[in-house]
Amino acid sequence: MKFDIRATALTAAIALTGLLPGGAAQAEEVNGLKTAASFESIESEQARSVAIFEEMAKVITHARCVNCHPVTGGPLQGENQKPHSPPIPRTEDNFGVVAMRCTTCHGEENRPFLGETGSVPGNGHWQLAPQSMGWVGLTVPEICAQLKDPERNGGRTLEEVAHHMGHDTLVGWAWAPGEGREPAPGSWEGFSELAVNWIETGAACPG
């Protein structure tokens, strides 16, 4: 299945702006993820920022994201986050070992299995996240602190973190993961909007 970013963005935009028959009010939740607008009633900006990140954590801690953000070893797979099969050890460049590079099996798009249900996930730059960006075993506050730390987030500013979350197609893949996988909650558009609003309200982390 080819991942059509424009179609995904359009679908999400319609859901988020509440363009429903009869002019219905804006949706406060889309596919299990609250929209940024649903937090506007929280008067304290810090409390609103914390609440927004806790909502973002539904995506960040989902298997579609965590499987590529292990703390040690190689990538994980499946809803139960089992070790990758075949075993793939972590390498310095995060692209797999010689003769078993990520691109050996993972192409630019999802590919269905031959003769059975399921699929091989794919993206134009499929790779493992650096170990410094590992999330497995971390609490939500610890992941939040890591995302804000340039020494552990790839040297990114907060604005660059938000841009990564909203424009990197490898992140967007989480909502179009191919047959046999549960997509991340909400939509890519909605998650991106939450990230922007989290930063605009001070990028506060849960206590």
Side-chain angles (χ1 to χ4, degrees), residues 150-163:
E151 293 187 0
R152 294 183 292 159
N153 71 8
R156 295 181 174 94
T157 63
L158 285 176
E159 288 72 19
E160 289 170 336
V161 168
H163 186 273

Side-chain angles (χ1 to χ4, degrees), residues 44-50 52-53 144 148 158-159 194-205:
S44 166
E45 190 171 74
Q46 180 174 355
R48 185 161 68 252
S49 189
V50 168
I52 289 172
F53 188 84
C144 182
K148 294 171 60 175
L158 285 176
E159 288 72 19
L194 285 172
V196 170
N197 277 260
W198 171 59
I199 292 171
E200 288 179 346
T201 53
C205 291

Side-chain angles (χ1 to χ4, degrees), residues 93-138:
D93 66 358
N94 304 301
F95 276 98
V97 297
V98 176
M100 189 65 79
R101 306 290 281 171
C102 294
T103 51
T104 301
C105 297
H106 300 281
E108 294 188 358
E109 58 187 53
N110 302 326
R111 296 292 186 185
F113 290 148
L114 297 177
E116 58 181 299
T117 60
S119 60
V120 177
N123 181 268
H125 56 285
W126 192 270
Q127 70 176 93
L128 188 66
Q131 187 169 347
S132 65
M133 301 180 193
W135 296 341
V136 175
L138 271 63

Side-chain angles (χ1 to χ4, degrees), residues 20-179:
L20 303 174
Q26 180 176 4
E28 291 194 352
E29 184 172 299
V30 177
N31 297 328
L33 191 72
K34 292 181 180 178
T35 65
S38 66
F39 296 95
E40 291 178 355
S41 62
I42 301 177
E43 294 185 5
S44 166
E45 190 171 74
Q46 180 174 355
R48 185 161 68 252
S49 189
V50 168
I52 289 172
F53 188 84
E54 289 175 336
E55 193 67 17
M56 290 170 59
K58 292 181 180 179
V59 172
I60 292 171
T61 61
H62 190 275
R64 295 292 76 76
C65 296
V66 172
N67 285 353
C68 289
H69 283 264
V71 176
T72 58
L76 306 175
Q77 61 184 157
E79 310 309 318
N80 297 323
Q81 301 172 27
K82 297 179 179 179
H84 190 284
S85 179
I88 302 294
R90 181 185 290 280
T91 57
E92 187 174 348
D93 66 358
N94 304 301
F95 276 98
V97 297
V98 176
M100 189 65 79
R101 306 290 281 171
C102 294
T103 51
T104 301
C105 297
H106 300 281
E108 294 188 358
E109 58 187 53
N110 302 326
R111 296 292 186 185
F113 290 148
L114 297 177
E116 58 181 299
T117 60
S119 60
V120 177
N123 181 268
H125 56 285
W126 192 270
Q127 70 176 93
L128 188 66
Q131 187 169 347
S132 65
M133 301 180 193
W135 296 341
V136 175
L138 271 63
T139 64
V140 169
E142 288 171 338
I143 293 174
C144 182
Q146 182 206 68
L147 286 171
K148 294 171 60 175
D149 184 356
E151 293 187 0
R152 294 183 292 159
N153 71 8
R156 295 181 174 94
T157 63
L158 285 176
E159 288 72 19
E160 289 170 336
V161 168
H163 186 273
H164 166 69
M165 290 178 169
H167 294 81
D168 189 326
T169 59
L170 188 53
V171 174
W173 171 88
W175 287 273
E179 183 181 1

